[in-house]
Amino acid sequence: MKESVIYQDIFQKGERTREQKEAVKFRMRLLNQRFAEIDSEIVERVKLLGLEQLGNLGAALFNISEVADLVTWLNQQEH
C-alpha cells in the first residue's frame, strides 16, 4: 500500500499542506511581533502565499519596517 503511486501522491500533498500551514503560522508570529495587530485582509493574503513566497517573505521581513511596506511586498507577489 505505501508503495502505491496514489498513496505517495496523497501523502506528499498532505506533507506540503502541513508545511505550508506551519510556514504561515511562523510568518504570522513574526509579523505580529513586528506590527502588533495586523488587518485581517493582510492575514488572508499571507495565508494564500505558496511555500516559496512564504520563504521569500521571511527574508523580506528584514527590510519591511511598516505595514505599508508589507502591503507593497504582497502586491508585488501578485504580479
Side-chain angles (χ1 to χ4, degrees):
M1 178 72 175
K2 288 185 178 183
E3 291 81 26
S4 89
V5 174
I6 295 171
Y7 174 84
Q8 290 298 320
D9 186 49
I10 293 169
F11 181 77
Q12 289 173 350
K13 286 179 183 175
E15 284 293 309
R16 277 186 299 234
T17 301
R18 194 171 310 117
E19 284 178 40
Q20 183 160 1
K21 285 181 182 180
E22 288 300 316
V24 166
K25 186 177 173 180
F26 181 67
R27 293 328 179 269
M28 289 310 305
R29 194 171 344 155
L30 293 174
L31 290 169
N32 284 324
Q33 285 180 350
R34 172 147 309 164
F35 302 118
E37 274 191 48
I38 299 195
D39 185 69
S40 62
E41 180 183 325
I42 294 173
V43 171
E44 291 306 312
R45 291 179 70 186
V46 171
K47 287 181 179 179
L48 292 174
L49 296 174
L51 275 174
E52 184 176 346
Q53 290 174 312
L54 288 165
N56 293 340
L57 175 58
L61 282 174
F62 290 106
N63 300 315
I64 294 174
S65 58
E66 299 179 5
V67 174
D69 297 333
L70 174 60
V71 171
T72 299
W73 187 89
L74 288 168
N75 289 339
Q76 292 171 347
Q77 301 311 300
E78 293 175 356
H79 301 305

